[in-house]
Amino acid sequence: MKSGLITIKDLARELKISASTVSRALKDHPDISAETKRAVNELAKKLNYQPNAVALSLKQRRSNTIGIIIPEIVHYFFSSVISGIEDVAYDAGFNVIICQSNEKYEREVANAKTLLASRVDGILVSVSKETEDFSHFYNLRNNNIPLVFYDRIVPGLEADQVIIDDFDAAYRATRHLIDSGRQHIAHFAGPQKLLIGKQRKDGYIKALKEAGLDVDEDLIIEADSFEKARLAIMKLLNTGKKFDGLFATNDLTAIGAMQTIQKRGIKIPDEIAIVGFSDGRFSGITDPTLTSVDQHGYEMGTIATEMLLKRITSEDDEYPFETKVLDANLIVRGSSL
Amino acid sequence: MKSGLITIKDLARELKISASTVSRALKDHPDISAETKRAVNELAKKLNYQPNAVALSLKQRRSNTIGIIIPEIVHYFFSSVISGIEDVAYDAGFNVIICQSNEKYEREVANAKTLLASRVDGILVSVSKETEDFSHFYNLRNNNIPLVFYDRIVPGLEADQVIIDDFDAAYRATRHLIDSGRQHIAHFAGPQKLLIGKQRKDGYIKALKEAGLDVDEDLIIEADSFEKARLAIMKLLNTGKKFDGLFATNDLTAIGAMQTIQKRGIKIPDEIAIVGFSDGRFSGITDPTLTSVDQHGYEMGTIATEMLLKRITSEDDEYPFETKVLDANLIVRGSSL
DNA sequence: ATGAAAGCGCTAACAG
DNA sequence: CTGTTAGCGCTTTCAT
């Protein structure tokens, strides 16, 4: 037997009244007599009646559900975003359907289709790395599904979006090293074809120039993983080139460099200060603890969801798109004191 | 205007045929002529028709959606579980609605209610730390919602469940230290009122006893966080008590101990070997890398989902409940070589 | 080979 | 104050 769940009809039959009366009584409609309300609510409680959200969705053409398209849940940043989304959605009485693209274009297209079929009221999207054709997003928009992009946006697609100011964060991180007296600051950069890689490097360069420091190409090295950092720092140290600071494009890179530096007997932060860019919960458990940029994933999730809910519940369909840029602020820890 | 999405009726009107014919054509029913099928499919594609899953759910009394109740998404273990769930569900054509309890009883009860209202076809549950009253789960069961518990189960409630053999994992971890020649092995334990804390300690004790080693109460210390570990290990070292191995109830504890030990100039693993219990992605980035138990979150998610889908799709309602116990195997790294 | 009608559970005019 | 009716989008007998 499928789902022996109680329906409004069951209550109606039992009480020998009509389904509509039951419906009204349940939502405390002013027309209904106190006596009837009491009886209905009592029986509903007794039989543990649960309204059928599916029927409601069909009726109202409104599912009170939002969809999320997310590259990979297991990354700390993304799971924090989800957490933020969940909390806001929950408070507003919305459900959340999560679809992972696993960074695959095909899967992302399927996700969009699924969410459309589920008639979600709106979708939060962070675009997969692989995606170059964006027609599935245009398709959603053509179907009047409100869309908010977070973190990874679609270039050229006007939409609500919330992103982090990577450029400014990198600028401030580098600036922090300069302010604390470092003059020769290296940068371990991400791939320059990726926006975040480029922006972080540009922020670094801006800070140097502004302070009147040379931009030394020998100190800018493309390395964006734990392993690559170990090799790169080794090579750099072997050149004999002097440097007293390092800004790494992410925490794992910073940590890989830090360990290797320490193995050489070089003191951190005394001889070399290090700053990372947060992508996990690593910064607190290194020795020394790692100064790093906080990406505010949770906050990004809450803000994106608020924007989406506003879009969903707004009467006026056509107010202009918003772009929110979050500050990613620097958390100073032991590695740069 | 809400949702200008194309319906079957729209197609029918356009083609001057009935909705039922369209419906049948779309699912390639043998009764329908090739010509009609072609016309219908062509128009459907042209207008970008997407079947309304909500209407389907109502009709079939089957939502093709499963619910997840999870304590906190941001923990690496739980996000890996979700990832496993998502992948299996996706392949089977099921959607996933995620509800976080945030370790709160009240919220967990609300989650159960929400999922019931959404008419999910089944629910995967990991119980919140706070929960002591389990009636909301009995309620789900009374409503014939298939339930599978993963990782954190309800004592005494017979149900499908998949858990990790913490006892055996701890036994093997300790055994590994013994096999590599350590004779005086300390244990940093979790709270003994929590099942996992107790099981891990018991496994440790079993290994010692089996090897004919003394169980030295002075070497068993309740400490289950990074900070507590630092304090506890300091104290332990100060007593002058000799030990050459440490099994910690989780990775952060192991890492806190490791750092403090190293600061004293004691070599790891030469003088003291360390084994942790995985709860993050930390083990690869410490120096030395940390030997740890892998909890297989992803696998737990896939298995739990398979069990649930089997329950949902099974004709025969009443086959006995299953309990799957996953091996949590030891990954040997630098800290115990 | 196709259509008409009923119904999944609920709500909201409209009618008394 | 309550009941009747229609309809949300779809499937599925039952006719034809």
Side-chain angles (χ1 to χ4, degrees):
Chain A
M1 173 199 70
K2 268 263 61 168
S3 153
L5 284 157
I6 304 295
T7 74
I8 267 191
K9 283 185 177 177
D10 298 327
L11 301 182
R13 191 176 334 105
E14 186 89 356
L15 294 169
K16 299 184 203 308
I17 58 179
S18 77
S20 25
T21 303
V22 174
S23 171
R24 284 188 275 243
L26 252 14
K27 31 189 27 115
D28 203 25
H29 189 107
D31 277 3
I32 304 295
S33 75
E35 171 52 24
T36 307
K37 280 181 189 164
R38 205 200 41 69
V40 169
N41 284 304
E42 188 178 296
L43 185 64
K45 181 151 295 171
K46 181 177 155 216
L47 299 185
N48 191 28
Y49 167 77
Q50 293 290 346
N52 184 331
V54 175
L56 244 181
S57 299
L58 184 60
K59 176 91 220 188
Q60 330 263 214
R61 283 116 138 255
R62 177 83 136 58
S63 59
N64 276 274
T65 300
I66 61 180
I68 305 180
I69 296 180
I70 201 152
E72 296 198 289
I73 294 177
V74 291
H75 292 330
Y76 175 69
F77 172 71
F78 285 124
S79 65
S80 335
V81 175
I82 293 184
S83 205
I85 294 172
E86 246 272 328
D87 283 356
V88 173
Y90 174 86
D91 287 341
F94 276 72
N95 277 116
V96 170
I97 294 185
I98 299 190
C99 295
Q100 272 190 97
S101 66
N102 285 327
E103 302 283 12
K104 298 277 170 238
Y105 166 72
E106 292 293 351
R107 182 102 177 223
E108 188 177 88
V109 172
N111 293 160
K113 198 168 169 167
T114 301
L115 293 176
L116 224 196
S118 301
R119 296 302 189 265
V120 293
D121 298 329
I123 303 182
L124 295 161
V125 184
S126 199
V127 182
S128 106
K129 276 184 187 157
E130 220 180 83
T131 306
E132 293 179 348
D133 173 0
F134 305 105
S135 46
H136 49 305
F137 297 130
Y138 287 96
N139 177 33
L140 290 173
R141 162 162 306 178
N142 290 340
N143 283 301
N144 274 307
I145 314 283
L147 239 44
V148 175
F149 292 88
Y150 61 93
D151 195 50
R152 306 224 203 120
I153 64 179
V154 175
L157 171 55
E158 279 211 45
D160 287 322
Q161 45 194 217
V162 33
I163 51 179
I164 278 168
D165 192 339
D166 276 303
F167 174 81
D168 185 60
Y171 164 77
R172 295 208 318 245
T174 310
R175 185 62 201 271
H176 160 70
L177 289 169
I178 296 169
D179 288 348
S180 68
R182 276 75 185 187
Q183 304 262 1
H184 305 280
I185 299 167
H187 176 46
F188 279 10
Q192 292 303 296
K193 52 180 187 189
L194 252 61
L195 198 58
I196 59 166
K198 176 142 180 44
Q199 288 180 331
R200 290 177 191 177
K201 178 172 157 188
D202 289 348
Y204 155 83
I205 289 174
K206 179 188 169 198
L208 293 188
K209 287 196 172 155
E210 200 182 85
L213 297 176
D214 280 349
V215 176
D216 183 346
E217 287 296 336
D218 293 347
L219 289 180
I220 301 179
I221 295 160
E222 211 167 294
D224 64 341
S225 73
F226 188 73
E227 266 318 311
K228 282 185 197 157
R230 290 160 63 120
L231 297 174
I233 200 79
M234 200 100 78
K235 221 191 242 174
L236 182 58
L237 290 170
N238 287 343
T239 63
K241 190 103 191 172
K242 291 277 170 269
F243 65 103
D244 51 13
L246 169 65
F247 166 53
T249 198
N250 62 50
D251 280 358
L252 286 177
T253 304
I255 294 168
M258 184 152 106
Q259 282 181 10
T260 305
I261 291 171
Q262 288 171 324
K263 276 212 182 113
R264 292 282 188 108
I266 301 169
K267 294 277 173 262
I268 294 173
D270 303 346
E271 298 174 69
I272 299 176
I274 298 188
V275 176
F277 211 108
S278 228
D279 51 3
R281 312 184 113 179
F282 308 118
S283 41
I285 63 151
T286 54
D287 183 25
T289 51
L290 180 65
T291 295
S292 186
V293 170
D294 183 352
Q295 287 182 97
H296 297 304
Y298 180 87
E299 197 188 348
M300 179 173 271
T302 58
I303 292 177
T305 310
E306 279 158 8
M307 289 170 82
L308 183 62
L309 293 178
K310 186 174 157 201
R311 210 36 97 178
I312 290 172
T313 51
S314 159
E315 303 299 306
D316 153 32
D317 251 20
E318 292 306 336
Y319 60 93
F321 293 120
E322 286 181 90
T323 294
K324 294 233 169 125
V325 180
L326 303 187
D327 286 346
N329 54 312
L330 192 70
I331 315 274
V332 178
R333 298 194 184 83
S335 68
S336 70
L337 279 179
Chain B
M1 172 199 71
K2 268 264 62 172
S3 155
L5 284 155
I6 304 295
T7 74
I8 267 190
K9 282 184 177 177
D10 297 327
L11 301 182
R13 193 174 335 106
E14 184 89 22
L15 293 168
K16 301 183 199 310
I17 57 179
S18 77
S20 20
T21 304
V22 175
S23 170
R24 284 188 274 245
L26 252 14
K27 33 191 25 122
D28 204 25
H29 188 107
D31 276 2
I32 302 296
S33 75
E35 170 54 22
T36 306
K37 279 180 189 164
R38 203 198 45 67
V40 169
N41 284 302
E42 189 179 293
L43 186 65
K45 180 150 296 169
K46 181 179 154 215
L47 299 184
N48 192 27
Y49 167 76
Q50 293 290 347
N52 184 331
V54 176
L56 245 180
S57 298
L58 184 60
K59 178 91 231 200
Q60 331 263 211
R61 284 117 138 254
R62 178 85 136 55
S63 60
N64 276 274
T65 300
I66 60 178
I68 305 180
I69 295 179
I70 201 151
E72 297 201 286
I73 295 178
V74 292
H75 292 328
Y76 176 69
F77 172 71
F78 285 124
S79 65
S80 334
V81 175
I82 293 183
S83 204
I85 294 172
E86 246 272 327
D87 282 356
V88 173
Y90 175 86
D91 287 342
F94 276 73
N95 277 117
V96 170
I97 293 185
I98 300 191
C99 295
Q100 272 190 94
S101 66
N102 285 327
E103 303 283 13
K104 298 277 171 243
Y105 166 73
E106 293 293 351
R107 182 101 177 223
E108 188 177 87
V109 172
N111 293 160
K113 198 166 171 170
T114 300
L115 293 175
L116 224 197
S118 300
R119 297 299 191 265
V120 293
D121 298 330
I123 303 181
L124 295 162
V125 184
S126 198
V127 183
S128 106
K129 276 184 187 157
E130 220 181 82
T131 306
E132 291 179 349
D133 173 0
F134 304 105
S135 46
H136 49 305
F137 298 130
Y138 286 96
N139 177 36
L140 290 173
R141 163 164 304 177
N142 290 341
N143 282 300
N144 274 306
I145 313 283
L147 238 43
V148 174
F149 291 87
Y150 61 93
D151 195 49
R152 309 226 204 117
I153 65 180
V154 174
L157 171 56
E158 279 210 45
D160 288 322
Q161 45 194 215
V162 33
I163 50 179
I164 278 169
D165 193 339
D166 276 303
F167 174 81
D168 184 61
Y171 164 77
R172 296 210 316 246
T174 310
R175 185 63 200 269
H176 161 70
L177 288 169
I178 296 170
D179 288 347
S180 67
R182 276 75 182 186
Q183 303 263 3
H184 305 280
I185 299 167
H187 176 45
F188 279 12
Q192 292 303 296
K193 52 181 187 189
L194 251 61
L195 197 58
I196 60 168
K198 176 138 180 50
Q199 288 180 331
R200 289 177 192 178
K201 178 171 158 187
D202 289 349
Y204 156 82
I205 289 173
K206 179 187 170 200
L208 293 187
K209 287 195 171 154
E210 199 182 87
L213 297 175
D214 280 347
V215 176
D216 182 345
E217 287 297 337
D218 292 347
L219 289 179
I220 301 179
I221 295 160
E222 218 169 276
D224 65 341
S225 72
F226 187 73
E227 266 318 312
K228 283 184 196 158
R230 289 159 62 121
L231 297 175
I233 200 79
M234 200 102 76
K235 219 191 245 173
L236 182 58
L237 290 171
N238 287 343
T239 64
K241 191 103 192 172
K242 290 279 172 261
F243 64 103
D244 51 11
L246 168 65
F247 166 52
T249 198
N250 62 49
D251 280 358
L252 286 177
T253 305
I255 293 168
M258 183 151 108
Q259 282 181 10
T260 305
I261 290 171
Q262 288 172 322
K263 278 218 182 104
R264 291 282 187 109
I266 301 169
K267 295 275 175 261
I268 294 172
D270 303 344
E271 299 174 69
I272 298 176
I274 297 189
V275 177
F277 210 109
S278 227
D279 52 1
R281 314 182 111 180
F282 308 118
S283 41
I285 63 150
T286 55
D287 183 25
T289 51
L290 180 66
T291 295
S292 186
V293 171
D294 182 353
Q295 288 181 96
H296 298 304
Y298 181 87
E299 198 189 347
M300 179 173 274
T302 59
I303 293 177
T305 310
E306 279 157 9
M307 290 169 82
L308 183 62
L309 292 178
K310 186 174 157 201
R311 207 41 92 176
I312 290 172
T313 53
S314 158
E315 303 298 308
D316 153 31
D317 251 21
E318 292 305 336
Y319 60 93
F321 292 119
E322 286 180 88
T323 293
K324 293 232 169 126
V325 180
L326 302 187
D327 286 345
N329 53 308
L330 193 70
I331 315 274
V332 177
R333 298 195 184 84
S335 68
S336 69
L337 280 179

